[in-house]
């Protein structure tokens, strides 16, 4: 069987970047027709250890680690010059490895590089996270650059993570393969002992309704608006709330958050302001009753929606943009104006008084659609089996 040699380039070692590299590596390991070269920070080793993924068992996957000094030099450049410099770096390394396909898991940063950087002697594909094409000067420039990039002879496939933006991107070109790629989530086999240990650590009163705020906690998350809404509830309702805060926290948010919690003495909390193992993240969503995706002024989607659906738990989320559309379409929870404290408080009261129930088949559909196996099938069928492409 002929193998396709694919090189993946991503120099960022935080947040979803590490997860996406793991998903791509994990799925390539199940495909005999794929030979993979991963160009990234050596910090990926810790991520693979977190997922208990043994690199040494997969000789068809190799790593070309970027020196940390080189990563720091590239990241200190202005975003525009960085786009070109990293593009040229990736192309140079891909040529060195004689790769047939170069994949950028976060193509948003590399559009200018694709336009003004060195012309590659291989096919290039990318995953686009933010396909927002709202009417503004900045959005117009982004759309124009992307449109021009998609017309380059070397550009192969663009994977779009936001389903409701897919047609907008397709309208930019009629000659390239534009594919919707459901945001993937890896599910661990159930480990009852690990889950029970986490439950014991949290020690949550069984009478409480548990709300989970997961991810890097900054002003974008909507947790400040949530707690300001909680202040509008009477003490008896506040006492029914347990709030899990899981993820590192921005220093400018922590003081504000502590003051708000002080003014809501009935609310109990679990403050997990540190790195969470992927397995524990899965169990946090199972332990919670509701997940928070309020995210004011945010138009994109969020993996919290998918993790909640996989745990069969509803969300309280932003009604604007992709989050709201997904909540409404698949009945994933409550879509609400994230800056309307009265509306949030009213919804909380309904939840705490057991007036809200969600038994949605949409959650199961979302969970299956976003499983990491489906992600791997879409990516590697497009990149390694060009004759099987459907262009949808």
């Amino acid at each position: 069987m002929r193998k396709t040699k694919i090189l993946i380039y991503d120099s960022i070692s935080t947040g979803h970047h590490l997860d996406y590299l793991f998903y791509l590596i994990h799925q390539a390991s199940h495909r005999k027709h794929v030979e993979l070269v991963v160009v990234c920070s050596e910090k990926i080793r810790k991520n693979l250890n977190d997922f208990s993924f043994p690199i040494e068992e997969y000789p068809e996957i190799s790593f070309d680690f970027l020196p940390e000094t080189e990563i720091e030099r590239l990241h200190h450049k202005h975003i525009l010059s960085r786009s070109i410099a990293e593009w040229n770096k990736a192309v140079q390394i891909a040529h060195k490895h004689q790769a047939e396909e170069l994949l950028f898991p976060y193509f948003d940063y590399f559009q200018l590089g694709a336009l003004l950087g060195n012309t590659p002697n291989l096919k290039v594909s990318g995953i686009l996270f933010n396909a927002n094409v709202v009417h503004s000067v900045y959005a117009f420039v982004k759309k124009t650059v992307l449109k021009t990039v998609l017309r380059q002879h070397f550009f192969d496939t663009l994977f779009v993570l936001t389903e409701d933006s897919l047609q907008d991107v397709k309208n930019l070109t009629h000659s390239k393969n534009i594919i919707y790629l459901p945001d993937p989530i890896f599910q661990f086999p159930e480990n009852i002992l690990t889950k029970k240990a986490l439950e014991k650590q949290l020690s949550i009163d069984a009478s409480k309704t548990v709300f989970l705020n997961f991810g890097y906690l900054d002003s974008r998350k909507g947790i400040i608006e949530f707690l300001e809404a909680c202040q509008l509830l009477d003490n008896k309702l506040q006492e029914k709330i347990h709030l899990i805060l899981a993820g590192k926290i921005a220093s400018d948010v922590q003081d504000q958050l502590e003051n708000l919690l002080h003014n809501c003495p009935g609310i109990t909390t679990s403050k997990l302001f540190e790195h969470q193992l992927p397995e524990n993240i899965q169990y946090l969503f199972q332990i919670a009753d509701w997940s928070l995706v309020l995210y004011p002024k945010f138009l994109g989607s969020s993996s919290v929606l998918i993790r909640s659906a996989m745990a069969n738990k509803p969300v309280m989320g932003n009604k604007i943009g992709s989050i709201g559309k997904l909540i409404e379409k698949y009945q994933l929870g409550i879509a609400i104006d994230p800056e309307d404290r009265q509306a949030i408080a009213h919804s909380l009261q309904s939840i705490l008084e057991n007036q809200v129930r969600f038994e949605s088949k949409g959650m199961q559909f979302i969970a299956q659609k976003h499983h990491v196996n489906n992600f791997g099938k879409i990516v590697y069928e497009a990149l390694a089996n060009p004759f099987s492409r459907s262009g949808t």
Side-chain angles (χ1 to χ4, degrees):
M1 178 184 292
R2 181 186 178 278
K3 290 188 176 184
T4 300
K5 193 169 190 178
I6 301 170
L7 185 138
I8 296 173
Y9 179 94
D10 193 345
S11 64
I12 301 176
S13 58
T14 57
H16 64 264
H17 293 262
L18 287 174
D19 288 346
Y20 264 73
L21 284 175
F22 165 70
Y23 300 147
L24 290 164
I25 293 165
H26 174 271
Q27 289 298 296
S29 71
H30 297 300
R31 289 166 168 81
K32 293 181 180 179
H33 61 292
V34 171
E35 182 181 353
L36 195 65
V37 180
V38 183
V39 181
C40 62
S41 164
E42 195 160 5
K43 293 176 182 178
I44 186 66
R45 288 186 184 277
K46 183 180 187 307
N47 179 253
L48 294 174
N49 288 336
D50 286 348
F51 281 98
S52 301
F53 187 84
I55 301 174
E56 62 280 357
E57 292 183 13
Y58 300 97
E60 68 277 11
I61 298 173
S62 58
F63 292 82
D64 190 342
F65 293 114
L66 295 167
E68 291 303 313
T69 52
E70 176 73 358
I71 292 175
E72 186 176 351
R73 183 186 69 80
L74 289 166
H75 289 191
H76 272 85
K77 291 178 176 288
H78 185 277
I79 187 60
L80 300 181
S81 58
R82 174 184 163 185
S83 176
I84 299 170
E86 285 212 73
W87 168 273
N88 289 343
K89 183 77 175 177
V91 168
Q92 178 189 18
I93 297 173
H95 286 163
K96 180 185 77 172
H97 285 279
Q98 298 182 324
E100 298 169 68
E101 186 94 31
L102 170 58
L103 174 66
F104 292 96
Y106 195 77
F107 190 65
D108 304 57
Y109 279 177
F110 295 98
Q111 295 172 53
L112 192 65
L115 193 60
L116 301 178
N118 296 336
T119 302
N121 188 26
L122 74 164
K123 293 294 185 183
V124 177
S125 296
I127 299 174
L128 189 67
F129 275 70
N130 185 6
N132 176 24
V133 289
V134 295
H135 297 292
S136 70
V137 174
Y138 176 66
F140 174 78
V141 171
K142 279 186 66 178
K143 183 169 68 172
T144 302
V145 170
L146 180 58
K147 183 176 181 177
T148 308
V149 169
L150 292 175
R151 293 178 175 180
Q152 301 302 306
H153 71 276
F154 56 78
F155 198 85
D156 187 9
T157 302
L158 185 69
F159 302 98
V160 180
L161 289 178
T162 312
E163 188 173 9
D164 59 303
S165 300
L166 182 66
Q167 192 55 51
D168 286 335
V169 179
K170 282 188 171 186
N171 290 340
L172 299 179
T173 178
H174 299 292
S175 60
K176 298 297 178 181
N177 208 37
I178 313 297
I179 300 176
Y180 168 54
L181 182 65
D183 203 4
I185 299 294
F186 181 81
Q187 284 190 297
F188 289 84
E190 191 77 11
N191 186 324
I192 300 299
L193 291 178
T194 302
K195 185 178 178 182
K196 285 186 177 295
L198 182 60
E199 288 174 336
K200 184 177 180 180
Q201 175 192 338
L202 297 177
S203 188
I204 301 171
D205 186 331
S207 67
K208 296 267 190 172
T209 299
V210 181
F211 295 86
L212 170 65
N213 192 98
F214 170 74
Y216 183 70
L217 195 56
D218 58 14
S219 58
R220 302 172 304 154
K221 284 288 186 178
I223 191 62
I224 299 302
E225 289 80 358
F226 176 81
L227 289 172
E228 287 175 347
C230 287
Q231 291 181 323
L232 303 178
L233 301 174
D234 63 42
N235 290 338
K236 288 186 177 180
L237 285 177
Q238 287 185 18
E239 289 170 359
K240 293 184 178 183
I241 296 174
H242 184 90
L243 179 62
I244 300 177
L245 301 167
K248 294 184 178 181
I249 185 169
S251 56
D252 61 329
V253 170
Q254 187 159 7
D255 290 343
Q256 192 176 3
L257 183 142
E258 296 290 356
N259 287 334
L260 287 167
L261 286 172
H262 179 75
N263 293 330
C264 300
I267 296 177
T268 54
T269 59
S270 297
K271 300 173 185 176
L272 310 176
F273 298 147
E274 66 273 338
H275 171 73
Q276 299 297 315
L277 291 174
E279 191 174 9
N280 279 356
I281 293 170
Q282 179 172 309
Y283 296 136
L284 285 173
F285 279 87
Q286 293 178 9
I287 291 167
D289 298 300
W290 287 78
S291 300
L292 300 176
V293 206
L294 289 170
Y295 300 2
K297 298 181 177 68
F298 181 68
L299 297 177
S301 186
S302 168
S303 62
V304 172
L305 282 169
I306 303 151
R307 291 185 181 276
S308 293
M310 287 182 167
N312 199 34
K313 301 297 174 69
V315 300
M316 176 185 285
N318 183 351
K319 73 176 184 179
I320 303 166
S322 296
I323 289 175
K325 289 177 182 177
L326 287 169
I327 291 172
E328 295 288 350
K329 182 176 181 179
Y330 297 107
Q331 295 183 297
L332 301 179
I334 295 174
I336 195 169
D337 182 345
E339 298 185 81
D340 187 338
R341 279 68 166 174
Q342 288 286 356
I344 297 171
H346 179 74
S347 293
L348 280 171
Q349 182 173 347
S350 298
I351 292 168
L352 297 170
E353 292 178 346
N354 298 315
Q355 298 173 18
V356 179
R357 291 283 186 274
F358 280 94
E359 295 180 6
S360 170
K361 292 182 180 178
M363 291 184 187
Q364 185 179 3
F365 175 80
I366 287 290
Q368 292 172 346
K369 185 177 183 179
H370 291 267
H371 196 280
V372 70
N373 291 347
N374 190 39
F375 167 83
K377 181 176 183 292
I378 292 170
V379 170
Y380 289 115
E381 281 193 0
L383 301 187
N385 293 309
F387 298 109
S388 68
R389 293 175 182 165
S390 63
T392 59

